[in-house]
Amino acid sequence: MRLPKAGTIEIAPSILSADFANLASEVQEITVAGANIVHLDVMDGHFVPNITFGAPVIAKLRKYSDLCFDAHLMISEPEKYIADFAKAGADHITVHIETTNDPVGLINRIHDLGCTAGITLNPATKLSSIEKVVHLCEMVLVMTVVPGFGGQSFMEDSAKKCIELRNLVGADTRIEVDGGIDPTTASVVVSYGADTLVAGSAVFGKDNRKEAIAAILEAYK
Ligand code: DX5
Ligand code: ZN
């Protein structure tokens, strides 16, 4: 599925907190629960101090799901790998501004590969670093934890970047937030202008994923 057009609030459960031995059924469960996007955290042990999975796992999972595959590449030298992720079936590919000197080239390449594109920035990185490229992206990701691990505490100062970002991009671009999102912080980020909420432990860390997703969706109503 393509990235849903801006105008709706979407929960994007991150499989980082799912059972990696049963990914197909885990993704099936959030599909039944109403999620349209699944967030795929790719870590290389270099840009971030943790290793998760790469394109081959995404390609296998693609056979079992029609959800929008939202690949968050926390990897050095993303230009070497984006074609592999597109080929594996990623619908949307996000790269970190800290990993490239040519964000425009990278975003154009992602589009040429038939995917929607995203740029993101670490909590310590200033919003001005992505200002020139946000208008090229269908979705901009604001990290609300230092990337690398699930289950960390929400950083409200980073979330506040969404306010200025929303003014910059207008209503037609999605703003995604990632890290420490739960029913309490969800309402905060939505009030700042975010519309796409990544949730790892708040969804896959719970036994009842349907209730977990509903609890987040209820929180900002
Ligand atoms: C952090 C990842 C996140 C992570 C979020 O490096 O990019 O997507 O899975 O996990 P929670 O929701 O548990 O903070
Ligand atoms: Zn992520």
Side-chain angles (χ1 to χ4, degrees), residues 7-183:
T8 56
I9 304 274
E10 301 286 342
I11 308 290
S14 165
I15 60 167
L16 189 58
S17 299
D19 178 356
F20 277 15
N22 289 297
L23 280 183
S25 62
E26 292 283 72
V27 172
Q28 180 60 23
E29 217 175 296
I30 57 157
T31 308
V32 173
N36 295 312
I37 303 173
V38 60
H39 186 81
L40 306 168
D41 283 310
V42 178
M43 304 187 187
D44 67 351
H46 186 257
F47 175 62
V48 289
N50 195 8
I51 300 175
T52 54
F53 53 84
V57 171
I58 295 175
K60 293 289 183 192
L61 192 58
R62 185 75 281 182
K63 297 185 172 68
Y64 297 94
S65 175
D66 292 326
L67 291 191
C68 173
F69 274 18
D70 167 25
H72 174 194
L73 304 189
M74 288 163 273
I75 62 174
S76 302
E77 302 185 277
E79 65 281 358
K80 285 189 182 170
Y81 304 99
I82 49 176
D84 291 343
F85 286 99
K87 200 170 166 213
D91 297 292
H92 180 84
I93 298 178
T94 296
V95 292
H96 272 261
I97 191 70
E98 299 87 0
T99 64
T100 178
N101 293 319
D102 180 20
V104 174
L106 212 45
I107 291 164
N108 287 341
R109 186 84 202 292
I110 292 169
H111 284 149
D112 288 347
L113 289 163
C115 302
T116 51
I119 193 81
T120 186
L121 74 179
N122 285 343
T125 304
K126 289 198 165 32
L127 188 62
S128 55
S129 70
I130 60 168
E131 255 170 22
K132 289 199 173 80
V133 296
V134 290
H135 62 283
L136 301 172
C137 298
E138 287 77 14
M139 180 159 78
V140 179
L141 172 58
V142 173
M143 291 307 301
T144 45
V145 295
V146 177
F149 300 92
Q152 302 184 76
S153 298
F154 175 71
M155 298 169 73
E156 185 160 2
D157 279 350
S158 298
K160 284 182 179 157
K161 290 174 186 168
C162 294
I163 302 170
E164 196 183 334
L165 182 58
R166 181 53 79 197
N167 284 332
L168 270 177
V169 298
D172 293 339
T173 303
R174 284 195 171 276
I175 297 180
E176 184 176 40
V177 283
D178 186 3
I181 302 300
D182 61 20

